[in-house]
Amino acid sequence: MNHNKLNANKNNNKAVHGGWNFDNTYARLPESFYARLNPVPVRDPNMVLFNRALAESLGLNAQFLEGDEGLAEFSGNRIPENAEPIAMAYAGHQFGSFTMLGDGRVLLLGEHVTPDGQRFDIQLKGSGQTPFSRRGDGRAALGPMLREYIISEAMHALGIPTTRSLAAVTTGEPVFRETTLPGAILTRVAASHIRVGTFEYVANLDEKESIKILAHYTLNRHYPHLKAHENPCLALFKTVTERQAFLVARWQHVGFIHGVMNTDNMSLCGETIDYGPCAFMDVYDPSTVFSSIDHHGRYAYGNQPRMAQWNLARFAETLLPVLHADQNQAIDLAKEVLASFPEKFQAFWLAGMRAKLGLFNDEADDLPLIDSLLSCMHRNHADYTSTFRDLSLEILPDKPLFRDQNFIEWHKKWQERMARQPESMNVSRELMLSSNPAVIPRNHRVEEALEEAVERGDLTKARELLQVLSDPYAESPLHLKYSSVPETSAGAYQTFCGT
Ligand code: AMP
Ligand code: MG
């Protein structure tokens, strides 16, 4: 074999490899935690969106994955080397009621380990029926998958912990909902898919052994430093509580409404997960609900912190057997951590709101100062995102809020408050501009992009939207178009469950 031929072989090998480096620890857990099965092949897959930057950051071969072989993998028509597809078992409290669930239309291909040693779940969403499909078809429609792609990537760019989206493909097969829609599969990337609902499922298997296995697996995977703690499971509960307090505070800062904060949609690693009927609030109103299935406003914007705490109580219940040998003492330990949630949330929330107002230090009256701005906004039906952006740009537009006498007084107080800190106004403005996005995925813009993609197979708007959302704190001419507030009232907007 001559030298040239060797080189040719080497290049060839590289060209047929997506760069996957699977090491599947979840598939080594007890068999009752999941079901092994392959995706159901699809007829005529087509790549709709591919996240080159994400692929590269994961150490994957973007060029290969963008081509036909990648398409075969993202559509479930070919299993990547060393992947071990499983549907994860989990339960969950849905709108307060306990249900057995599991991945009904999702398969975890495996855990990809990046060149720098980070581990990510690679999942296909919409990959066909599983033993957990109940009455569902195991498939997903293009619109909701693009919605998850766009909003998850927007959240990431906003600096909020979230699952990511690597690819969206159409299947060439219809899915039947209220109407016939194009089928699609989303490839989702997450630190893991261990949910509060996973603990609820495992706690149901037997008293203690399974929960111990899952708790230690979670500690090893996400919080190895806590293993040295004298009570590692208590430390796990504390840390998960803190992560959730942080996550929901970040949601509140940008006006994000998850829509279905069921326990099966709360991830133990603190990422935003399962984008269904979620949306960003336009006009500031704590009672804002978008989801068509949330009739009582359980998951309204203003309720999100309380609902996170409720979910954490369900998590604590599953952990009781491993928190302490004595059940009463276990309950006391759990209660103490749970009771710390509102304070933890408030601290994260206040820190972010201070940044939104250009404040570096703490003053005792900051909370009433922030609350008074929010009530002015509420009374005047002010747009949440653009009000903070206008304040950052020192624009006082001709809008009802900016003519309200209470607001004018508030503005004076705020200026005085800023003058009392050592940092200059310029530095404050910089902090504000990097804390108050110019663009968010406005509902009307997302809908417009999805409609064009679904009705006409045209991805131009979706791509432009993704581009703009990838740099949400910048000010550019293109941003101007996307930062405009919708004309229709926000209350009329509804999102539907992503099935
Ligand atoms: P979600 O609302 O996406 O969090 O899903 C809740 C549960 O319903 C999960 O167990 C999903 O796997 C399942 N599910 C949602 N849509 C489908 C579908 N089309 N086919 C089968 N299962 C589904
Ligand atoms: Mg879910």
Side-chain angles (χ1 to χ4, degrees):
M1 205 183 278
N2 70 30
H3 190 70
N4 277 345
K5 199 157 185 194
L6 258 182
N7 271 346
N9 276 346
K10 207 168 145 197
N11 288 338
N12 218 19
N13 272 344
K14 215 173 176 185
V16 295
H17 196 260
W20 299 114
N21 177 29
F22 283 112
D23 172 44
N24 311 314
T25 56
Y26 205 85
R28 307 275 93 79
L29 288 175
E31 302 259 315
S32 51
F33 285 25
Y34 52 82
R36 283 181 198 277
L37 74 158
N38 285 342
V40 181
V42 301
R43 198 185 300 153
D44 182 21
N46 249 301
M47 189 81 80
V48 179
L49 292 173
F50 176 69
N51 195 336
R52 186 169 252 278
L54 176 60
E56 281 164 1
S57 78
L58 292 170
L60 296 171
N61 183 345
Q63 207 182 337
F64 170 89
L65 291 173
E66 225 163 357
D68 286 347
E69 309 267 354
L71 177 62
E73 294 181 349
F74 294 135
S75 61
N77 283 358
R78 190 176 99 159
I79 314 293
E81 204 182 330
N82 296 326
E84 292 174 81
I86 56 171
M88 293 169 79
Y90 52 86
H93 276 83
Q94 300 192 298
F95 291 90
S97 315
F98 185 77
T99 325
M100 294 304 262
L101 297 160
D103 287 333
R105 55 163 171 175
V106 161
L107 286 179
L108 172 62
L109 289 180
E111 297 150 37
H112 168 72
V113 182
T114 64
D116 60 356
Q118 285 179 283
R119 180 178 297 270
F120 292 98
D121 273 10
I122 308 294
Q123 257 203 356
L124 299 182
K125 185 168 180 177
S127 52
Q129 284 180 321
T130 77
F132 309 110
S133 295
R134 295 172 292 162
R135 289 185 307 278
D137 61 1
R139 292 300 187 189
L142 178 60
M145 293 307 99
L146 289 180
R147 202 155 199 292
E148 169 151 355
Y149 192 121
I150 292 169
I151 300 188
S152 64
E153 287 303 301
M155 291 288 270
H156 170 73
L158 285 165
I160 298 173
T162 177
T163 59
R164 303 281 310 271
S165 297
L166 182 59
V169 303
T170 47
T171 58
E173 295 174 12
V175 295
F176 304 99
R177 301 292 182 255
E178 285 85 20
T179 56
T180 304
L181 296 165
I185 297 175
L186 178 79
T187 302
R188 180 156 82 173
V189 179
S192 87
H193 287 88
I194 307 165
R195 309 145 187 267
V196 168
T198 316
F199 276 78
E200 291 181 281
Y201 168 82
V202 165
N204 257 23
L205 290 177
D206 57 53
E207 244 314 280
K208 191 167 168 184
E209 262 328 291
S210 301
I211 234 14
K212 206 169 169 180
I213 292 169
L214 185 62
H216 285 276
Y217 177 82
T218 308
L219 280 163
N220 273 321
R221 181 140 176 198
H222 294 300
Y223 310 107
H225 59 286
L226 300 180
K227 287 193 298 181
H229 198 276
E230 62 172 312
N231 186 341
C233 291
L234 182 64
L236 173 67
F237 183 44
K238 260 188 201 160
T239 305
V240 170
T241 299
E242 215 158 80
R243 294 269 177 123
Q244 286 302 326
F246 175 76
L247 181 66
V248 177
R250 295 294 293 122
W251 291 356
Q252 303 303 88
H253 293 147
V254 296
F256 174 76
I257 301 170
H258 183 284
V260 213
M261 287 178 70
N262 295 335
T263 54
D264 48 303
N265 293 338
M266 185 187 260
S267 165
L268 271 276
C269 64
E271 289 180 342
T272 312
I273 184 176
D274 271 10
Y275 292 86
C278 60
F280 281 71
M281 173 171 68
D282 291 310
V283 166
Y284 176 73
D285 181 349
S287 72
T288 306
V289 177
F290 292 115
S291 169
S292 62
I293 52 170
D294 192 357
H295 304 295
H296 304 289
R298 180 180 169 92
Y299 300 133
Y301 174 76
N303 269 352
Q304 295 191 126
R306 213 168 329 136
M307 287 299 108
Q309 191 183 11
W310 192 91
N311 290 347
L312 288 163
R314 305 290 79 74
F315 178 41
E317 284 161 5
T318 71
L319 285 178
L320 291 178
V322 289
L323 286 182
H324 201 283
D326 177 274
Q327 204 194 9
N328 289 329
Q329 290 201 48
I331 291 172
D332 288 344
L333 290 170
K335 271 189 171 165
E336 194 187 326
V337 177
L338 210 52
S340 72
F341 179 87
E343 200 181 304
K344 284 190 171 119
F345 168 78
Q346 176 90 339
F348 287 127
W349 181 78
L350 254 181
M353 293 309 284
R354 283 193 175 104
K356 283 174 86 70
L357 289 175
L359 303 176
F360 287 90
N361 59 0
D362 301 0
E363 276 191 14
D365 281 346
D366 288 344
L367 182 59
L369 184 76
I370 295 161
D371 278 343
S372 127
L373 171 63
L374 292 175
S375 6
C376 278
M377 286 166 65
H378 192 189
R379 263 202 320 278
N380 288 283
H381 310 289
D383 181 82
Y384 183 74
T385 303
S386 66
T387 299
F388 280 102
R389 191 69 184 181
D390 288 343
L391 290 173
S392 320
L393 294 166
E394 295 176 282
I395 299 171
L396 300 184
D398 188 30
K399 289 178 188 159
L401 171 69
F402 295 85
R403 293 192 299 266
D404 180 336
Q405 198 50 42
N406 290 313
F407 173 81
I408 294 164
E409 278 165 31
W410 174 85
H411 194 267
K412 190 164 161 268
K413 263 196 209 156
W414 171 52
Q415 295 288 313
E416 289 164 2
R417 165 71 179 85
M418 277 205 284
R420 284 198 298 275
Q421 63 185 5
E423 287 79 7
S424 70
M425 287 291 188
N426 269 344
V427 180
S428 280
R429 198 171 317 121
E430 266 168 41
L431 175 64
M432 290 181 74
L433 286 171
S434 59
S435 311
N436 296 307
V439 281
I440 49 159
R442 297 258 181 203
N443 308 316
H444 63 302
R445 292 296 185 197
V446 175
E447 291 307 317
E448 213 173 73
L450 299 191
E451 198 181 302
E452 209 175 75
V454 174
E455 308 283 320
R456 285 181 286 286
D458 184 351
L459 270 294
T460 315
K461 276 191 180 157
R463 293 208 176 92
E464 188 175 281
L465 185 57
L466 276 166
Q467 177 65 34
V468 168
L469 292 169
S470 70
D471 194 9
Y473 299 100
E475 199 70 23
S476 82
L478 191 58
H479 276 53
L480 226 57
K481 178 171 142 199
Y482 283 96
S483 54
S484 65
V485 176
E487 278 156 34
T488 49
S489 98
Y493 184 75
Q494 269 206 331
T495 54
F496 297 89
C497 217
T499 48

